Amino acid sequence: MKNKPIGIFDSGIGGTSIWKEVVKLVPNENTIYLADSKNAPYGEKSSEEIIALSIKNTELLISKGCKLIIIACNTATTNAIDYLRENYSVPFIGIEPAIKPAALLSKTGAIGILATKGTLSSKLFEKTTKEYSKIITTIEQDGEGLVPLIEEGKLNSPELTELLSTYLKPMLNFNIDHLVLGCTHYPYLIPQIKKIIGDNVTIIDSGEAVARQTKAILEKLDLLSTDLSKGNHLFYINAETKVLKEILSDVSVEFKVQKLDF
Ligand code: DGL
């Protein structure tokens, strides 16, 4: 079991921001990544639909023998992780907007959260924001339209910059000092985001924290790979492979990308 792969899934290519951190921290683990780009964006779907897609991805990863599954998608985590944990015995690691660190670090008492509609409307998100509502004000913004542009590889398009400005500039009027990126696609927008929000707002994304949590759980469950060579990495995508390959062009480890209908 120890040398079986870690499974990772996302609505598309965004979860690679998590995968990159995981591979840095546990380089000898094998991984299988599912990019469900055909069904992106999840954030505009109902909770029931997001759960159904998460089940489909989970069952495929289990059929490939995965020892642990990382839900590298805030929208899928906040809507489906409870269901998945109740119904499958494989351990799950999820990702949700990092409200806690932002709340504890904030000096102005106001933080911005950019996430999908599916995340912002989830029960889990509501529960977490409620918990911190005594110490901070959260300015929430639905990033509608951003995920499809990222999936199309239009990271530097004027269209995307304009959308980001519309979403982020109003937050500055609330004197936010932290911006939580509540979607795993958004770390790819950090250079553009910085140009809009300036140096006084700290960007928080949870990629590294998810990688640390993955390592801790593998240790706790005695599931760390015993193979000392570099891991094998396989990406399955149910749409064109071009943008995924572009987004992975900065990694130094070897990987394979394969188109698969799932
Ligand atoms: N990467 C997903 C997330 O973290 C994007 C969701 C979507 O497809 O809308 O929320």
Side-chain angles (χ1 to χ4, degrees), residues 16 73-74 77 91 115 140 145 147 175 180 207 216 220-221 238 240 246:
T16 54
C73 175
N74 292 261
T77 300
E140 296 156 24
V147 168
N175 203 20
V180 177
K220 191 175 152 208
L221 300 177
N238 52 18
E240 286 314 312
E246 275 167 19

Side-chain angles (χ1 to χ4, degrees), residues 10-11 40-43 72-75 116 119 147 182-185:
D10 179 37
S11 63
Y42 281 12
C73 175
N74 292 261
T75 312
T116 69
T119 294
V147 168
C183 169
T184 56
H185 281 70

Side-chain angles (χ1 to χ4, degrees), residues 187-205:
Y188 289 112
L189 305 180
I190 288 176
Q192 291 90 312
I193 292 176
K194 277 191 175 159
K195 277 188 208 150
I196 299 165
I197 62 173
D199 294 331
N200 295 333
V201 179
T202 307
I203 298 172
I204 309 247
D205 96 80

Side-chain angles (χ1 to χ4, degrees), residues 53-151:
L53 291 166
S54 301
I55 291 173
K56 165 186 74 83
N57 298 333
T58 296
E59 293 192 347
L60 178 54
L61 289 171
I62 291 173
S63 77
K64 301 277 177 200
C66 292
K67 62 180 175 183
L68 172 141
I69 294 177
I70 303 174
I71 309 172
C73 175
N74 292 261
T75 312
T77 300
T78 52
N79 284 277
I81 200 165
D82 289 346
Y83 179 91
L84 296 175
R85 284 188 171 141
E86 272 162 33
N87 289 280
Y88 298 92
S89 56
V90 66
F92 288 94
I93 310 272
I95 177 164
E96 54 181 306
I99 297 173
K100 183 179 173 183
L104 298 179
L105 291 166
S106 176
K107 294 211 163 59
T108 61
I111 63 166
I113 302 167
L114 184 64
T116 69
K117 195 192 288 168
T119 294
L120 296 175
S121 61
S122 68
K123 289 198 188 81
L124 192 58
F125 181 82
E126 190 192 329
K127 192 174 150 240
T128 315
T129 34
K130 217 176 189 173
E131 229 176 285
Y132 292 95
S133 60
K134 281 195 197 92
I135 58 167
I136 41 143
T137 306
T138 51
I139 316 300
E140 296 156 24
Q141 176 62 53
D142 168 5
E144 186 174 0
L146 295 175
V147 168
L149 287 171
I150 298 167
E151 286 288 320

Side-chain angles (χ1 to χ4, degrees), residues 143-193:
E144 186 174 0
L146 295 175
V147 168
L149 287 171
I150 298 167
E151 286 288 320
E152 285 172 42
K154 294 184 177 162
L155 291 180
N156 296 304
S157 62
E159 220 177 327
L160 191 139
T161 308
E162 206 181 308
L163 259 189
L164 265 183
S165 297
T166 316
Y167 293 158
L168 298 177
K169 277 196 178 142
M171 287 188 183
L172 300 176
N173 298 332
F174 291 92
N175 203 20
I176 62 160
D177 59 359
H178 287 78
L179 173 66
V180 177
L181 302 185
C183 169
T184 56
H185 281 70
Y186 300 163
Y188 289 112
L189 305 180
I190 288 176
Q192 291 90 312
I193 292 176

Side-chain angles (χ1 to χ4, degrees), residues 231-247:
N232 294 315
H233 306 290
L234 181 55
F235 289 81
Y236 289 117
I237 180 162
N238 52 18
E240 286 314 312
T241 57
K242 186 174 166 276
V243 182
L244 174 61
K245 284 179 180 162
E246 275 167 19
I247 228 149

